Amino acid sequence: MKVTGTALPFLPLYRRLLPSRLAGLSLALLKATALELAILAGHLLLYPSGITQERRTTPALPSPDTTQLPTEASPPVVLLHGFIDNRSVFVLLRRNLAQHGRHQVESLNYSPLTCDIRTAAELLGRHIEGICERTGSRQVDVVGHSLGGLIARYYVQRLGGDHRVRTLVTLGTPHSGTSVVPLANAHPIVRQMRPGSPILEELALPAPGCRTHFVSFWSDLDHLMDPLETACIDHPDLLAQNVRVSGVGHLALPVHPAVATGIRQALDSTRTGAAAVAQADGMTVA
């Protein structure tokens, strides 16, 4: 999969002024930053539309006289936003999923005043139980952006959520903690995302028999991950794939169409076990 962009008119001059490798890196960073700013502007416009929780609906039952071939229905998808955000960040991803047959998609808003990942994970657990009760599904898939991925992982590993979550996809999630913006430590939940925090130490504990399949998308231009590799999952007991994304930043991960394609492939995959990890190891969205 390729994340591509339009050529800039000043590119030839730019490459003459800088060494080729430095120019390539700087140009990629420039383009990614411009994309981040555009996405931020658009998201600020959409933000008010996602402040309230979405309405919950029960899927319509098929007509009794309708003949249906037996199919393996895809589980519902739960979307979980990042720090000081809301469900509006997933507008484009939801549309993409719906266009490819995923019609049971729900978002969960947790309060920006939430100060503990454990509390948010418990809320997620109750939300997922409600979805399973309404839809009759035994499991769900979860896509979590940034902090949302960490909340979902805590639910899976520490609260027994692996019996409900079939696949957990994380986008730019600080699995090992991020050191960016030290001044943000005033917020308790930010301190929980720092390297060595008690929450991250809990997630590093053994998790034998965890049934959830993890797919972590991490970007080489993610300005909120320090170090960049903190967005990878590295745990001996977890069935995990780490997917490198080149050329996009933190805000673009839940928005970019090429990343959405990767998310769909992760959710639609029926492969399990060590062979699946080996086949996907090193897969790159570039």
Side-chain angles (χ1 to χ4, degrees), residues 208-225:
C210 184
R211 291 161 283 190
T212 298
H213 177 205
F214 295 82
V215 182
S216 175
F217 287 79
W218 66 283
S219 171
D220 55 9
L221 293 177
D222 191 331
H223 59 286
L224 292 183
M225 297 297 107

Side-chain angles (χ1 to χ4, degrees), residues 113-175:
L113 301 179
T114 300
C115 293
D116 184 59
I117 288 176
R118 301 176 186 88
T119 301
E122 292 172 358
L123 173 63
L124 174 63
R126 294 194 295 271
H127 181 71
I128 289 176
E129 290 299 324
I131 290 175
C132 291
E133 182 178 351
R134 287 197 313 274
T135 65
S137 179
R138 187 176 61 87
Q139 290 184 305
V140 302
D141 291 331
V142 178
V143 179
H145 181 224
S146 195
L147 171 62
L150 207 57
I151 291 170
R153 181 179 170 187
Y154 191 90
Y155 165 65
V156 166
Q157 274 189 248
R158 306 299 297 170
L159 300 180
D162 62 315
H163 78 291
R164 286 297 192 196
V165 179
R166 186 189 70 162
T167 302
L168 170 57
V169 176
T170 67
L171 310 172
T173 292
H175 290 287

